Amino acid sequence: MSDLCDPAPYDALLLLSFGGPEGPDDVVPFLANVTRGRGIPEERLKEVGKHYFLFGGVSPINAQNRALLDALRKDFAAHGLDLPVYWGNRNWAPYLTETLREMTAAGHRRIAVLATSAYASYSGCRQYRENLAESLAALEAEGLPVPRVDKLRHYFNHPGFVTPMVDGVLASLADLPEDVRAGAHLAFTTHSIPTSAADTSGPAEAHGDGGAYVAEHLDVARLIVDAVREKTGVDHPWQLVYQSRSGAPHIPWLEPDICDHLQALHADGVPAVVMAPIGFVSDHMEVLYDLDTEATAKAAELGLPVRRSATVGSDPRFAAAVRELVLERAATERGQGGERCALGALGPSHDLCPAGCCPARAPKQAAAGADSPYA
């Protein structure tokens, strides 16, 4: 096999995602999984899950992961990459442990892992690694072979992730009325997290005001702004803003919130806004509800023309990027060099999360890192 399409030492790829309910009866059990250990009563979970009930209790994330699986398999087949692709979730079926059990039974012992989170943070990286360690421990307790799992590097600045988002912003701008298009503001959104988690995101050397989490998002936003300027000749004003806050009000989280931002823009006379959810891989519930429902309703209340650009989803360019990431990591594991694609100022991310990277809220083992108990 040519080194250009050789996945060795990997014998499978695992798509690792968050999961979501697929019917009304799933909502409360799903949220119980997400909040396990916090002692949240069922009535509170029903209140928290109200946005799921607005959509029939169905999160779009599982359907979107199925579409991404299909895109990956088609891309791999078209390029001669013989690597089976599996899917496991942290919080809903198909559960991660069950998927790893299935992969082990099929003989897989060296697994590359793609998480549906592109940026560094505790909830976007370390927590996925903790879940991997928990599942591997479960296999070990059952007397099953424990495969080695390697999480692919952060891909926030890979061309296959950035370019589809550029096209999404351009399409949203083109969809605005012509008289407000040139003055449109670009609001780049991502999930708000506690400022303490942001400040300690990424390797220790990146810790500080906003840490790697904010720096990475800002780098992607600048890439998109620059590409839009090159395509249209217009230098649109922009800002990184946040959405989907879920924590206690006394704990500082990243701000401003998108709805507050729309209010401020309207007060400043901004004629239109494009909301670009760069922090999300697909149009799942937090995009569907927090942007398409709440923020869009806020804009309508203000009389502010607004459009929401598409996420990457199962775009073929993203599927190709995943193939490139797998082959890049495989070559590295074989001791071979090669190009590591990355746009912007930050360069390609690390392969192996170092100790102290996105530290845990409480001491907990995590796989696929320098401190992993499963080498």
Side-chain angles (χ1 to χ4, degrees):
M1 179 180 291
S2 166
D3 287 345
L4 295 177
C5 60
D6 184 3
Y10 298 112
D11 53 29
L13 173 68
L14 169 63
L15 175 65
L16 176 56
S17 194
F18 193 82
E22 300 202 78
D25 293 341
D26 296 344
V27 173
V28 171
F30 162 73
L31 292 172
N33 286 342
V34 174
T35 61
R36 182 176 289 113
R38 302 183 203 174
I40 299 176
E42 182 174 329
E43 287 307 311
R44 175 58 181 154
L45 294 178
K46 289 179 180 177
E47 174 64 21
V48 171
K50 63 183 181 181
H51 51 289
Y52 288 100
F53 292 117
L54 289 175
F55 297 90
V58 178
S59 168
I61 192 170
N62 284 346
Q64 290 161 3
N65 280 326
R66 292 184 186 102
L68 179 55
L69 278 174
D70 184 60
L72 291 172
R73 288 165 177 158
K74 287 178 178 175
D75 178 89
F76 286 11
H79 290 84
L81 177 57
D82 184 15
L83 194 70
V85 185
Y86 293 77
W87 168 37
N89 289 325
R90 291 170 48 196
N91 298 298
W92 202 248
Y95 288 103
L96 172 59
T97 302
E98 295 173 0
T99 299
L100 283 173
R101 191 179 292 119
E102 176 189 354
M103 296 176 80
T104 299
H108 300 299
R109 298 293 181 268
R110 191 74 186 271
I111 299 168
V113 179
L114 173 76
T116 55
S117 177
Y119 301 85
S121 71
Y122 172 78
S123 57
C125 182
R126 172 85 192 194
Q127 196 168 18
Y128 282 86
R129 294 175 49 228
E130 290 176 354
N131 294 140
L132 282 165
E134 290 170 357
S135 294
L136 293 176
L139 297 186
E140 188 174 38
E142 295 168 12
L144 297 175
V146 178
R148 174 169 167 175
V149 296
D150 291 336
K151 182 177 176 291
L152 299 177
R153 67 176 170 93
H154 299 303
Y155 47 84
F156 64 92
N157 56 2
H158 193 287
F161 186 68
V162 175
T163 305
M165 292 192 292
V166 171
D167 289 349
V169 171
L170 289 169
S172 291
L173 285 167
D175 193 48
L176 283 168
E178 189 174 357
D179 60 333
V180 298
R181 190 179 303 151
H185 174 95
L186 307 182
F188 295 102
T189 77
T190 191
H191 206 302
S192 183
I193 61 175
T195 56
S196 58
D199 293 346
T200 56
S201 58
E205 60 269 21
H207 294 178
D209 187 15
Y213 186 73
V214 172
E216 289 169 1
H217 282 86
L218 286 173
D219 204 41
V220 171
R222 292 187 190 104
L223 285 167
I224 295 173
V225 169
D226 290 346
V228 168
R229 182 193 308 115
E230 183 178 342
K231 293 284 188 178
T232 67
V234 179
D235 193 7
H236 289 273
W238 64 276
Q239 187 171 336
L240 177 64
V241 300
Y242 303 93
Q243 61 173 93
S244 312
R245 174 182 173 141
S246 59
H250 68 280
I251 298 175
W253 282 53
L254 293 172
E255 296 178 333
D257 177 77
I258 179 61
C259 289
D260 294 337
H261 187 56
L262 293 175
Q263 180 83 50
L265 292 175
H266 176 66
D268 289 343
V270 169
V273 178
V274 169
M275 301 182 295
I278 61 172
F280 305 91
V281 172
S282 65
D283 289 3
H284 55 63
M285 186 57 73
E286 285 164 316
V287 175
L288 202 65
Y289 181 76
D290 296 333
L291 294 184
D292 293 355
T293 305
E294 281 196 330
T296 300
K298 181 65 175 179
E301 173 192 320
L302 297 168
L304 179 64
V306 67
R307 299 291 185 271
R308 195 271 292 172
S309 67
T311 53
V312 172
S314 56
D315 189 292
R317 291 167 292 185
F318 181 48
V322 174
R323 169 172 42 85
E324 292 172 8
L325 289 168
V326 170
L327 294 174
E328 167 201 290
R329 182 64 182 272
T332 299
E333 293 298 311
R334 295 194 303 268
Q336 299 171 333
E339 182 182 4
R340 296 167 62 85
C341 291
L343 302 174
L346 299 180
S349 184
H350 50 263
D351 281 333
L352 196 67
C353 291
C357 189
C358 303
R361 298 167 187 171
K364 203 170 186 181
Q365 289 186 334
D371 53 355
S372 171
Y374 299 102

